[in-house]
Amino acid sequence: MNRIFRTNVFKILPMSLNMANNKQLHTSPSFNSLLKGLGGSFSGSDNQGGIGAQSNRMSDGQDIFEVQIHLVRPHFMPNYLGETKRFVELFNDKNSGAELFGSFTCEIGQQDEAIHIWRFRGGYQAYQKHYHLYRSDAELLSYRQKRNEMLRSRRNQLCLRFTFWPELAPRTGEHIYEMRSYNLRPGNLLEWGNYWANGMRIRGEENEAVCGLFSHIGEQHQVHHLWCYNDLAHRDEVRDLAWHHPAWADTVRKTVALVDTMSCRVLKATPFSPLQ
């Protein structure tokens, strides 16, 4: 079955994802025989195949996450982290609605890179309040000017959370984090979610799963998975255990076909990060 036929089938078939019942995505038996071999099966109605329609089936949309990626001039990194800590404190004092979920520097991957993940409870209304303050408050404007002088580049992205991942929870103690980013072929988010909902039953057993996000505004068709390990040896051990489950191998086999490119970063939490 070629790619063109596959795309056309998914445009005309109504489908959605049922996120209930143990947070697993389920198959409608009436579509099984037709969708078998297409890489996934879905049920429901009113799907137009667009990113908005897919987002509604993957996330409850209650919270917005902003992923900020800053490339810092190497000799400025200590000053940059100090200024960022002050920036977080300013937002907390001003009740901006922005909640720092995690803050990291990249240890393996793009060097001199800082990644901050912000959470906005209440969706885009909460984000809009933050955005207005960020662009108008005199103290924050002063911070931004100092920060920008220390950067080589910066970019951001607004994301939604996959609801079949575990609930977000703080972590204490010393860890490393792995951020795996996948650039999907357009139109494959539903299939990705269907397969990963099953895969998370296995990968969630060792409590290493932190957060799964997908892009909503910014670079499109991108997925970020954040994992937590004690160290690199623990990472290797946990990932090796997953391969002993046939269902995990099946998840990887099916999702690899949906990906154009992917990247992996090993991150270290900053001293002021809520995730440690």
Side-chain angles (χ1 to χ4, degrees), residues 187-244:
N188 284 329
L189 184 62
L190 288 171
E191 290 181 79
W192 178 274
N194 193 42
Y195 298 139
W196 264 96
N198 289 322
M200 285 305 298
R201 292 183 300 167
I202 299 163
R203 289 303 306 270
E205 291 178 357
E206 300 297 322
N207 195 36
E208 78 273 17
V210 178
C211 186
L213 303 173
F214 63 93
S215 61
H216 204 234
I217 298 179
E219 187 173 352
Q220 295 290 282
H221 313 294
Q222 191 168 64
V223 170
H224 304 291
H225 291 174
L226 190 64
W227 307 90
C228 178
Y229 304 102
N230 296 334
D231 49 35
L232 288 175
H234 179 233
R235 172 187 179 272
D236 188 56
E237 176 186 347
V238 169
R239 289 172 59 83
D240 184 63
L241 285 173
W243 286 105
H244 288 78

Side-chain angles (χ1 to χ4, degrees), residues 106-121:
C106 184
E107 297 293 299
I108 302 176
Q110 175 71 57
Q111 297 294 279
D112 308 308
E113 183 179 67
I115 298 176
H116 312 293
I117 304 177
W118 296 84
R119 182 180 188 177
F120 300 90
R121 299 178 187 268

Side-chain angles (χ1 to χ4, degrees), residues 70-81:
H70 294 165
L71 286 180
V72 184
R73 299 182 188 277
H75 57 288
F76 276 124
M77 183 61 82
N79 289 343
Y80 167 83
L81 292 177

Side-chain angles (χ1 to χ4, degrees), residues 15-29 32 39-44 54-60 161-165 188-201 214 251 254-255 258:
M15 50 189 181
S16 69
L17 293 174
N18 183 349
M19 304 302 296
N21 299 331
N22 298 324
K23 298 183 181 177
Q24 182 179 354
L25 310 183
H26 298 282
T27 300
S28 170
N32 272 351
S41 51
F42 308 96
S43 62
Q54 295 184 42
S55 298
N56 292 338
R57 289 155 176 79
M58 296 277 84
S59 175
D60 56 23
R161 186 180 78 88
F162 287 113
T163 53
F164 54 82
W165 274 64
N188 284 329
L189 184 62
L190 288 171
E191 290 181 79
W192 178 274
N194 193 42
Y195 298 139
W196 264 96
N198 289 322
M200 285 305 298
R201 292 183 300 167
F214 63 93
T251 297
K254 290 177 178 177
T255 55
L258 308 178

Side-chain angles (χ1 to χ4, degrees), residues 103-140:
S103 177
F104 314 93
T105 54
C106 184
E107 297 293 299
I108 302 176
Q110 175 71 57
Q111 297 294 279
D112 308 308
E113 183 179 67
I115 298 176
H116 312 293
I117 304 177
W118 296 84
R119 182 180 188 177
F120 300 90
R121 299 178 187 268
Y124 282 106
Q125 287 186 340
Y127 179 78
Q128 191 63 35
K129 174 184 176 182
H130 153 83
Y131 183 83
H132 176 73
L133 185 67
Y134 180 71
R135 295 289 179 181
S136 61
D137 183 88
E139 286 185 291
L140 295 176

